[in-house]
């Protein structure tokens, strides 16, 4: 048996809004640029083995990165 304590980086969402102003000239009322990242990995684990406590005998879920742009006309 191994200790199962761990700190996992599970989900990050970053976004930036651009509203239509004199500084930013674009055809939309506002634009959002965003990115999502999930299943990024373990930051710390209590066991000295290289074992993932949530997925000890199976392949861990894949890392996912999504980028997007959303605009309101």
């Amino acid at each position: 048996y191994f200790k199962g304590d761990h700190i996992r980086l599970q989900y990050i969402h970053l976004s930036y809004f651009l509203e239509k102003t004199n500084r930013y000239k674009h055809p939309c009322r506002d634009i959002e640029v965003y990115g999502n990242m999930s299943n990024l990995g373990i930051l710390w684990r209590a066991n000295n083995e290289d074992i993932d406590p949530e997925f000890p005998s199976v392949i861990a879920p894949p890392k996912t990165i999504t980028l997007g742009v959303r605009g309101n006309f």
Side-chain angles (χ1 to χ4, degrees):
Y1 294 98
F2 298 104
K3 290 183 106 178
D5 303 338
H6 67 287
I7 298 173
R8 178 180 300 277
L9 190 55
Q10 186 68 32
Y11 186 76
I12 295 176
H13 174 83
L14 300 171
S15 65
Y16 186 75
F17 287 95
L18 292 169
E19 293 182 359
K20 189 171 187 174
T21 62
N22 291 335
R23 184 174 178 193
Y24 299 110
K25 304 252 186 215
H26 50 77
C28 300
R29 284 185 302 195
D30 56 32
I31 295 177
E32 177 188 11
V33 179
Y34 63 90
N36 297 316
M37 296 171 275
S38 64
N39 301 323
L40 297 177
I42 296 177
L43 298 176
W44 172 84
R45 69 185 75 172
N47 63 47
N48 291 332
E49 310 298 320
D50 197 26
I51 297 174
D52 187 338
E54 289 186 11
F55 305 98
S57 61
V58 296
I59 298 172
K63 294 177 175 79
T64 305
I65 299 174
T66 306
L67 302 173
V69 176
R70 182 180 309 146
N72 293 322
F73 293 95

